[in-house]
């Protein structure tokens, strides 16, 4: 996501106050300030797709979405794009989402998409005409209000969306028992993740699931194999209770897994947990275990504790926090300095984003595409945690998640923020 995407959000929200572009690490000033009109236009027309998907989802069972991945949206997208572009040219304004004509165009195509999804995906035969119930509804449409119509026999003037400024919608009449198998897909929800992380807080799971759904295409998690590999690794990193901040409650005799304590066994006895004798000094352990590693300073710097593992991937070390900071703005459209505020990686949104960033930056999705097999799992483990003794468990996690079929029918597009380009 480049600067023009953030500019799009700013100008579409009214362009109030000042638009600020961070100047960190600029190489080409002109390129950083460039705006790509096509992407701004695409972000506007995506509103109709999001509205149509959201509208139909309210009539489906909880945790289920209309599946748009097999429907050819190209003709509608091109028509919508052309109409909005023509209007922008006519009024000579680069982007004006508040223009009443553009608002009407988006509303009309929302209804066109609504009808398309009902007929081609859900195979709905009838709908109820619903008007806005205000004085602006034309008399002919007011007469149709609350009446049942068939998609194969439109009323005079056409179905909702076919007439200009109709101010109406088609409410589907759905027989839940006869929805075609391929017509719907599973939303990635907190409830669904609860079977993977049974001891995790409900609110945390909900926030994590929503963030991953929003980024599911961008992060290259849009297949069941990718999701199984991703969450199989995450499960090993954060456990069934989904701890987002590393716990270093290690026994003294286990601290030898860290090079520092292998070289300083007396300090392992001093700071490690000895059952019935002393608790672990987690801050001291972190400052020594990660001293002079992964871009962190020495023991006295406190970097080991400050930049201990956080997030679904357990990002560790000052260098990795800095790398996430540098890429976060481009991927997610927000400039945040995680090196200055490392604790943010322990919050659900950024815990999810840090793992998605690592997954995409290291192209782990390509390794996951090799399928559900030990070699693929080990190749991903070697990048996430080289030298770990948990390779067997990580492979078992992946294998079990795939066998459970929990991700088999997960939507391959973002339900919260669908885009035309993601449905192709």
């Amino acid at each position: 996501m480049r600067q023009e995407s953030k500019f799009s959000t700013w100008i579409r929200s009214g362009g109030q106050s000042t638009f600020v572009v961070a100047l960190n690490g600029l190489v080409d000033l002109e390129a950083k300030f460039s705006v790509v009109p096509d992407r701004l236009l695409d972000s506007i027309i995506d509103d109709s797709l999001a509205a149509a998907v959201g509208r139909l989802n309210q009539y489906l069972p909880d945790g289920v979405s209309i599946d748009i991945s097999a429907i050819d949206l190209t003709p509608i997208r091109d028509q919508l794009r052309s109409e909005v572009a023509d209007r922008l040219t006519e009024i000579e304004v680069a982007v004006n989402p508040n223009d009443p004509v553009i608002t009407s165009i988006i509303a009309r195509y929302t209804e066109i998409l609504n009808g398309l999804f009902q007929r081609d995906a859900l195979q709905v035969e009838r709908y109820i005409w619903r008007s806005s119930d205000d004085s602006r509804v034309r008399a002919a449409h007011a007469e149709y209000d609350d009446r049942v119509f068939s998609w194969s026999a439109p009323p005079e003037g056409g179905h909702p969306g076919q007439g200009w400024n109709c101010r109406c919608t088609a409410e589907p009449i759905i027989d839940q028992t006869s929805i075609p198998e391929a017509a719907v897909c599973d939303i990635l929800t907190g409830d669904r993740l609860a079977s993977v992380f049974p001891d995790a807080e409900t609110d945390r799971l909900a926030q994590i699931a929503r963030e991953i759904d929003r980024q599911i295409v961008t992060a290259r998690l849009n297949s069941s194999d990718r999701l199984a590999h991703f969450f199989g690794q995450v499960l090993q990193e954060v456990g069934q209770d989904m701890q987002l901040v590393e716990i270093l409650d290690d026994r003294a005799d286990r601290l030898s897994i860290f090079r520092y304590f292998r070289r300083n066994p007396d300090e392992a006895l001093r700071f490690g947990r000895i059952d019935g004798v002393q608790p672990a000094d987690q801050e001291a352990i972190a400052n020594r275990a990660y001293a002079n590693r992964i871009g962190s300073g020495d023991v006295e710097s406190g970097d080991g504790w400050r930049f201990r593992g956080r997030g679904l991937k357990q990002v560790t070390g000052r260098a990795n926090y800095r790398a996430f900071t540098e890429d976060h703005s481009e991927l997610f459209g927000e400039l945040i300095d995680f090196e200055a505020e490392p604790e943010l990686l322990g919050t659900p949104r950024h815990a999810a984003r840090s793992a998605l960033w690592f997954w995409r930056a290291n192209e782990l999705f390509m390794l996951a595409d090799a399928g559900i097999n030990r070699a693929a799992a080990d190749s991903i483990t070697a990048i996430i945690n080289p030298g770990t003794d948990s390779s067997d468990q990580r492979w078992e996690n992946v294998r079990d998640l795939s066998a459970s079929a929990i991700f088999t029918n997960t939507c391959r597009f973002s339900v919260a923020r669908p885009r035309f380009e993601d449905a192709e």
Side-chain angles (χ1 to χ4, degrees), residues 26 50 97 154 163 176 187 242 295 337-338 374 379:
L26 285 182
Q176 301 284 0
I187 300 173
M242 193 179 272
D337 189 346
F338 295 100
R374 179 64 187 261
S379 66

Side-chain angles (χ1 to χ4, degrees), residues 195-196 224-225 227-229 232 371-373 395-409:
S195 62
V196 184
S224 58
D225 284 359
L227 286 164
H229 277 288
I372 304 300
N373 55 72
W395 158 235
E396 289 181 18
N397 293 343
V398 172
R399 183 187 59 195
D400 291 348
L401 287 177
S402 178
S404 72
I406 186 174
F407 299 122
T408 298
N409 197 40

Side-chain angles (χ1 to χ4, degrees), residues 182-193:
V184 294
C185 51
D186 298 327
I187 300 173
L188 188 65
T189 61
D191 288 344
R192 187 166 297 278
L193 290 184

Side-chain angles (χ1 to χ4, degrees), residues 374-395:
R374 179 64 187 261
D378 285 351
S379 66
I380 294 173
T381 297
I383 294 175
I384 290 179
N385 198 339
T388 182
D389 60 359
S390 63
S391 295
D392 289 346
Q393 186 59 55
R394 290 169 189 264
W395 158 235

Side-chain angles (χ1 to χ4, degrees), residues 118-151:
Q118 287 189 38
R119 297 189 303 272
D120 290 6
L122 297 176
Q123 297 182 18
V124 167
E125 297 180 358
R126 300 184 302 157
Y127 67 87
I128 303 172
W129 186 291
R130 302 292 193 194
S131 294
S132 300
D133 294 326
D134 58 40
S135 59
R136 296 173 59 190
V137 175
R138 66 191 66 171
H141 290 167
E143 292 181 4
Y144 295 155
D145 207 14
D146 300 328
R147 289 173 55 186
V148 175
F149 294 97
S150 170
W151 284 112

